[in-house]
Amino acid sequence: MGQVFSMVRDGLMSLASRMGTERDKAASVFYTQPILTDEQIVAAYRGSWLPRKIVDIPALDSCRKWRSWQAASDQIGLIEAEERRLNLRSKVLEASTKARLFGGAALFIGTADADPALPLEAELVGKGGLKHLTVLTRRQLAAGDIDSDPASEWYGKAKFYTLTGANGAQVTIHPSRLVILRGAMTPNEEFAGAGNQCWGESVLTAAFDAIKSADSTAANIASLVFEAKIDIIKVPQFSANIGNQSYEDAVLRRYALANTIKGVNGTLILDAEEEYDSKSAPLSGLTDILMAFMQIVAGAADIPVTRLLGQSPAGLNATGAADMKNYHDRIQAIQELDYTPAMSRLDECLIRSATGARDPAIYSAWAPLEQMSEKEKADIFKMKAEAARALFGSGSGEEIISRPALSEALVNAFIEDGSLPGLEAATKTSGQADPDAAERPDAMPV
């Protein structure tokens, strides 16, 4: 009895269907540690469009709308000009793409101070202090010893990185001078593999089998297309004469000529004793099979089929809006959870390099991937203003919310959705509003 209970507790078994027994075909299925070399990664990326799109698309979508700065209008201009001077947007895209491909990449923050082995102190960066940004991959940067101090900012990360420079010279770089981006997360350091310490792994690793299956299916279907129609000609005494070289040459010349004539005028000339037939391979259903493999690839890559293949959604009333919304939410999570923390020290240096100081009111926000048209923005702006007017009432004591509270809430709403760029800095500069305006009964919210 105890053995029966143990079987129920530890796993479901069925002697009738062989499930869970030694004769179960699935009992021999197990997972192995994936091994994907850099040579395989590069070959897949260069030789197949699916791996290239899986690597490129999320990186491109993360950077294509970029971010907006909240600051005074003159400060915004200076910061954006500094980003253009450093080619920051393109460098982040390149680093993100290579991080997804190889498992890790970094932006080296070049400043005026000479020794890259020392920590980068953003407070000491003056106007024009950022000199350059250099993209380096994990193939160029070797991680040093792991910081095991739990009180350290770099706990669990490398204390330093080593770059092999010109003529084999070793350059030590402090991690504070690097904007480090990783590919797919590894379970732990011991699973990272040789040379991958403190880095992630390629996003192609987990999806590689699905990609190969889809590519192989597409290649086999392409081969089947060439075999879709086969001409069959029955020749009397053909087998009996095989082995006679002159006969074989005559047969080849004879049917090469017949195919040429058929290709010119569509007429096949045969001997009266020969029989002609044609066989066609059924191609129906192959598209569904291929698309099933492509959907598996899309799921493995976490990219909607409509974005991966660039096709319109199929099916009645299908729009793909839900899939794209989920995908855009994922891209936003990558921006906020990966890019923003990794670029925090760089942004501190960027603001100081652009403006010469650090105004604590300056911050950036990632732009949404789904941009509204100017008309849609104007309609939303108008609806918010009318809602505020309704809440304020006629000004004769009927207001639901006091004017100062409503004005502050409306200004915050416009700042959050970016309707009026530079509004936050402008309200602070102007003192929010005229203090006497709140006493006027006909006053409207800002």
Side-chain angles (χ1 to χ4, degrees):
M1 182 65 70
Q3 184 178 4
V4 175
F5 286 139
S6 176
M7 289 167 55
V8 173
R9 181 179 66 252
D10 295 341
L12 187 63
M13 297 180 62
S14 173
L15 297 178
S17 66
R18 303 176 183 177
M19 181 175 61
T21 67
E22 62 182 10
R23 301 187 66 184
D24 184 1
K25 294 181 179 179
S28 61
V29 177
F30 58 92
Y31 292 99
T32 60
Q33 182 77 8
I35 299 176
L36 198 61
T37 65
D38 289 349
E39 289 73 18
Q40 289 176 298
I41 292 172
V42 172
Y45 184 76
R46 296 184 63 186
S48 176
W49 64 273
L50 265 180
R52 180 179 286 270
K53 294 192 77 170
I54 290 172
V55 170
D56 290 352
I57 286 176
L60 176 63
D61 287 342
S62 298
C63 298
R64 64 184 172 90
K65 293 298 182 181
W66 200 230
R67 55 185 182 175
S68 58
W69 288 93
Q70 287 292 337
S73 57
D74 58 333
Q75 292 176 323
I76 293 176
L78 291 173
I79 295 174
E80 291 179 345
E82 189 72 357
E83 285 186 339
R84 289 192 296 271
R85 181 182 71 84
L86 296 169
N87 198 17
L88 175 61
R89 190 173 177 180
S90 178
K91 295 294 180 65
V92 171
L93 173 60
E94 180 184 353
S96 176
T97 303
K98 291 182 176 179
R100 290 179 56 80
L101 178 61
F102 292 112
L107 282 176
F108 173 55
I109 306 173
T111 57
D113 51 331
D115 193 353
L118 298 177
L120 174 61
E121 298 183 25
E123 298 79 7
L124 301 181
V125 175
K127 190 173 180 61
L130 281 182
K131 299 304 180 183
H132 62 83
L133 296 173
T134 306
V135 178
L136 303 170
T137 70
R138 65 157 179 78
R139 293 166 56 88
Q140 299 164 298
L141 281 174
D145 299 334
I146 304 299
D147 193 337
S148 57
D149 181 7
S152 172
E153 176 187 357
W154 311 104
Y155 173 72
K157 302 177 182 177
K159 294 181 180 179
F160 61 90
Y161 289 83
T162 303
L163 172 66
T164 301
N167 301 322
Q170 300 290 319
V171 179
T172 301
I173 302 176
H174 194 270
S176 62
R177 296 180 180 273
L178 296 172
V179 177
I180 298 176
L181 300 176
R182 295 177 175 85
M185 185 190 74
T186 54
N188 214 333
E189 286 299 329
E190 59 266 25
F191 299 103
N196 285 2
Q197 179 175 285
C198 294
W199 298 107
E201 61 186 6
S202 174
V203 297
L204 298 178
T205 302
F208 207 60
D209 286 342
I211 295 170
K212 289 191 295 182
S213 296
D215 277 342
S216 299
T217 301
N220 285 325
I221 291 176
S223 298
L224 186 59
V225 170
F226 292 101
E227 301 290 336
K229 182 178 180 297
I230 301 177
D231 293 333
I232 301 174
I233 300 176
K234 298 179 181 180
V235 181
Q237 302 299 317
F238 180 75
S239 298
N241 291 297
I242 288 296
N244 185 335
Q245 187 62 47
S246 60
Y247 176 80
E248 293 177 2
D249 294 341
V251 168
L252 291 176
R253 289 195 303 271
R254 187 259 181 275
Y255 289 107
L257 177 61
N259 281 329
T260 301
I261 297 173
K262 181 183 177 184
V264 172
N265 55 28
T267 302
L268 181 61
I269 302 176
L270 297 174
D271 191 275
E273 296 180 353
E274 295 174 325
E275 296 182 16
Y276 172 79
D277 193 8
S278 179
K279 300 291 185 181
S280 297
L283 300 179
S284 60
L286 293 180
T287 301
D288 295 336
I289 295 175
L290 180 58
M291 286 307 301
F293 279 98
M294 289 298 180
Q295 287 173 346
I296 294 174
V297 173
D302 207 2
I303 302 173
V305 175
T306 53
R307 182 70 180 94
L308 182 63
L309 303 184
Q311 68 173 26
S312 300
L316 185 63
N317 297 326
T319 63
D323 292 342
M324 290 305 298
K325 183 181 184 305
N326 292 336
Y327 172 67
H328 289 161
D329 289 343
R330 173 176 175 257
I331 296 299
Q332 184 180 5
I334 292 175
Q335 293 171 333
E336 295 178 353
L337 301 180
D338 293 344
Y339 289 10
T340 297
M343 296 172 61
S344 59
R345 185 174 273 101
L346 171 61
D347 285 343
E348 292 296 319
C349 297
L350 179 70
I351 294 171
R352 289 174 169 84
S353 181
T355 65
R358 178 58 171 107
D359 185 348
I362 299 177
Y363 69 93
S364 65
W366 293 97
L369 291 180
E370 295 180 357
Q371 296 285 346
M372 293 184 293
S373 65
E374 293 300 322
K375 183 180 184 304
E376 290 173 332
K377 292 179 181 179
D379 290 342
I380 292 176
F381 188 92
K382 179 181 178 182
M383 285 189 294
K384 288 182 178 181
E386 290 177 350
R389 181 175 284 105
L391 288 173
F392 183 68
S394 62
S396 58
E398 300 175 358
E399 62 270 15
I400 301 174
I401 304 175
S402 65
R403 180 190 180 279
L406 185 59
S407 177
E408 183 178 355
L410 192 60
V411 168
N412 288 336
F414 288 149
I415 291 173
E416 290 296 328
D417 63 17
S419 299
L420 300 174
L423 177 61
E424 184 175 17
T427 53
K428 290 181 179 180
T429 302
S430 62
Q432 176 68 27
D434 181 6
D436 297 331
E439 304 300 327
R440 296 197 300 268
D442 60 339
M444 288 299 299
V446 174

